[in-house]
Amino acid sequence: MTRVIADISLSLDGFVTGPDPDPDNGLGVGGEALHTWAFSDDPDDRRILREATARSGAVILGRRLFDVIDGPKGWNDDSGYGAREVGKPAFIVVTNSPPQSVRLTDLDWTFVTTGLPDAVAAARERAEAASAQRGQDLDVVLMGGGATIGSAIDAGLVDALTLHLAPVVLGAGTPLFSGAAPRTLVQRSVTSTSTATHLTYDIP
């Protein structure tokens, strides 16, 4: 069964970027510290990253995040999604209009201009096709940014939330939850490593 899983790193004070994020400074001032765990040699960090990328049948992201990772200082062969792990999934971008060009032409991009629910539907279709091809259940992974994840949770489009809580305080930046509706999640797993606390919740 294909599930939609939001997966994002954040600081102890709840920010998914540092101050002043933009395509030239993707995660903002100090924001790179949020993803230290993804490049760690800690065996639990490696396992969590490997399992997350292995289950990814399709990945959803917002346009701002796309502009960062497709920018000149964005992803490369060493830092892209699952770069050191598995084959690359399809990527679904939620946007008002497609970009005129794409730098990362070796990735499978689909640009959805009709809203987040349609993007989730498109991603689910791609994940189900990949599941059939690989003979295993694969998920839709919603990787951000924070506003996209928050909107998807509020709209009831997300089945589970995985947070990678970095031991840093950024003081400002992009909050994960801003004006979110109150809700109670069901804690499913907690793994502490040398670089992060990895938390997974089911969303009723």
Side-chain angles (χ1 to χ4, degrees), residues 36-103:
T36 298
W37 73 271
F39 301 95
S40 164
D41 291 325
D42 184 295
D44 281 329
D45 286 330
R46 301 305 309 155
R47 174 184 57 79
I48 287 167
L49 182 64
R50 181 176 62 251
E51 291 175 352
T53 54
R55 74 168 186 253
S56 302
V59 176
I60 300 173
L61 60 153
R63 178 58 186 270
R64 285 186 182 180
L65 181 55
F66 168 80
D67 287 342
V68 169
I69 65 178
D70 196 56
K73 296 183 180 179
W75 283 356
N76 54 46
D77 290 341
D78 296 321
S79 65
Y81 191 92
R84 295 191 287 169
E85 302 299 334
V86 298
K88 299 176 178 65
F91 292 91
I92 313 297
V93 181
V94 187
T95 181
N96 289 327
S97 60
Q100 293 184 346
S101 63
V102 175
R103 178 178 66 87

Side-chain angles (χ1 to χ4, degrees), residues 2 57-59 89-92 108-110 119-133 138-140:
T2 299
V59 176
F91 292 91
I92 313 297
D108 181 358
W109 297 105
T110 298
V120 171
R124 189 183 297 276
E125 183 176 338
R126 297 297 298 274
E128 289 173 351
S131 297
Q133 184 176 26
L138 300 175
D139 296 323
V140 172

Side-chain angles (χ1 to χ4, degrees), residues 174-200:
T174 305
L176 176 57
F177 298 113
S178 178
R183 66 175 62 239
T184 299
L185 309 186
V186 179
Q187 184 168 291
R188 183 150 56 87
S189 67
V190 179
T191 303
S192 295
T193 72
S194 59
T195 59
T197 302
H198 305 279
L199 305 144
T200 298

